[in-house]
Amino acid sequence: MSAYADLHLHTTKSDGNLSPTELIRLIEKTPLKVVSITDHDSTEGIAEAIEAASKNTSLEIIPGIELGTDVPGTEIHILGHWIDPTDSMLQNHLEEFRMGRETRARKTVEKLSTFDIDIDINRVFEIAQGAVGRPHIAQAMVEKGYITYPQQAFEKYLGKNGLAYVSRNVLSPREAITLIKNAKGVATLAHPREAENVEALLPDMVDAGLAGIEIYYKDYSETDKSRFQTVADRYNLIALGGTDYHAFGTPGEMAPGPVGPPEAEIHKLKQLASLAHK
Ligand code: AMP
Ligand code: ZN
Ligand code: FE
Ligand code: FE
């Protein structure tokens, strides 16, 4: 178990429940040396995290992002590590994505009401301190006693095949990878096991410039890891990962740290990033 790096973490700037500062304080209690803040459609947590860790010389923070993409029938998420948060093309897109999230939240709440689930959209926006997402709607459902844990909302209503699922406008995987690369970031396929038929989608993503794949992810078994190590070897992708920590409070939720990629992979990531930033 490597506790060197955790490259997939969320904060209150998207659907995490810890502020960037709170997350860094938690991380400082672990042996982690390199972490990345990868909020959905927002880079707003990065500066706060860096500031919170500024007195800690043994913790490195990589600016990151997580983008949802549009693939029929499945969910493909792309991570960008070492993106330049000041890139205006990136920020313009992120702003659009966040507006699309608000529209989608409204539509989801309307759809839920047809199943006699009455959630106040204003409460959802209050819960969401940053980019609004389905977990905020799930949390509002918990508050009103419809379910016990946010996870349960996804099973029946909010998951891609759920009764109240609403899509939103996002980029294709190819476009998301290009956006990340143009912002000097290194693009990685997040949680590949969670995508249907991912092996068939990979050649196009690799062609667009995908550089990594998450292998050291949360609850992946040795079988999962060897499946995706084979993919990484075939396409010459670096093997990254992390806990995808959100502080949801779900029983058994893994805290930051234990699964992340080994130091050698972080060195490869840094080499790619330094080429991109030349
Ligand atoms: P959104 O950004 O609104 O598309 O919501 C995506 C987020 O919802 C993911 O990053 C997870 O945090 C959460 N999520 C997605 N699927 C599930 C699931 N099946 N169970 C619990 N949480 C999920
Ligand atoms: Zn999330
Ligand atoms: Fe994701
Ligand atoms: Fe994530």
Side-chain angles (χ1 to χ4, degrees):
M1 285 290 161
S2 170
Y4 179 80
D6 191 332
L7 301 187
H8 192 159
L9 299 161
H10 294 275
T11 77
T12 44
K13 303 298 177 182
S14 65
D15 56 2
N17 282 325
L18 295 185
S19 71
T21 302
E22 290 167 332
L23 180 64
I24 294 301
R25 293 286 96 86
L26 178 65
I27 286 166
E28 283 172 339
K29 297 185 184 122
T30 74
L32 285 166
K33 294 280 178 280
V34 183
V35 298
S36 185
I37 308 297
T38 55
D39 275 310
H40 304 277
D41 298 344
S42 172
T43 58
E44 290 186 2
I46 294 167
E48 185 185 323
I50 290 173
E51 170 63 27
S54 61
K55 292 195 182 67
N56 184 343
T57 51
S58 62
L59 180 63
E60 183 173 11
I61 296 172
I62 299 174
I65 192 78
E66 181 169 15
L67 303 176
T69 69
D70 187 19
V71 180
T74 190
E75 288 198 43
I76 296 278
H77 292 182
I78 306 286
L79 294 170
H81 289 116
W82 252 298
I83 39 113
D84 172 4
T86 67
D87 184 90
S88 59
M89 178 90 86
L90 176 66
Q91 289 303 340
N92 290 343
H93 275 88
L94 297 182
E95 205 170 305
E96 247 179 66
F97 297 150
R98 292 194 297 264
M99 289 193 300
R101 284 174 168 280
E102 291 187 16
T103 309
R104 182 232 219 162
R106 290 180 199 282
K107 288 184 187 164
T108 306
V109 165
E110 275 173 34
K111 217 164 164 179
L112 281 169
S113 73
T114 68
F115 299 100
D116 290 327
I117 295 184
D118 290 307
I119 297 300
D120 182 353
I121 186 65
N122 295 317
R123 181 59 196 145
V124 174
F125 289 142
E126 256 170 43
I127 295 170
Q129 297 168 48
V132 68
R134 285 174 285 169
H136 302 117
I137 297 172
Q139 225 170 301
M141 287 170 67
V142 171
E143 280 184 2
K144 291 203 72 183
Y146 291 111
I147 48 173
T148 311
Y149 296 109
Q151 168 87 33
Q152 293 164 321
F154 283 86
E155 287 158 16
K156 187 162 178 194
Y157 297 104
L158 305 181
K160 192 135 191 189
N161 300 313
L163 295 169
Y165 181 78
V166 178
S167 62
R168 62 186 179 95
N169 279 341
V170 288
L171 303 177
S172 67
R174 173 173 280 277
E175 291 165 333
I177 291 164
T178 304
L179 182 64
I180 287 167
K181 283 189 67 179
N182 287 343
K184 302 193 181 80
V186 178
T188 289
L189 175 62
H191 39 69
R193 189 191 69 187
E194 275 48 57
E196 302 280 328
N197 208 9
V198 68
E199 274 87 350
L201 299 169
L202 266 155
D204 184 56
M205 291 192 268
V206 171
D207 184 63
L210 189 78
I213 183 167
E214 283 196 312
I215 291 181
Y216 303 95
Y217 182 76
K218 195 156 61 181
D219 55 354
Y220 281 14
S221 67
E222 290 309 313
T223 310
D224 296 326
K225 286 182 191 163
S226 86
R227 173 182 166 198
F228 295 115
Q229 188 61 57
T230 304
V231 169
D233 293 343
R234 181 179 314 148
Y235 296 110
N236 196 24
L237 301 173
I238 51 178
L240 302 180
T243 55
D244 204 357
Y245 183 66
H246 285 78
F248 281 145
T250 316
E253 181 177 21
M254 183 180 277
V259 293
E263 207 169 333
E265 297 298 319
I266 306 299
H267 287 309
K268 290 185 207 167
L269 170 63
K270 286 186 183 178
Q271 274 171 357
L272 289 179
S274 72
L275 284 174
H277 282 256
K278 257 192 189 136

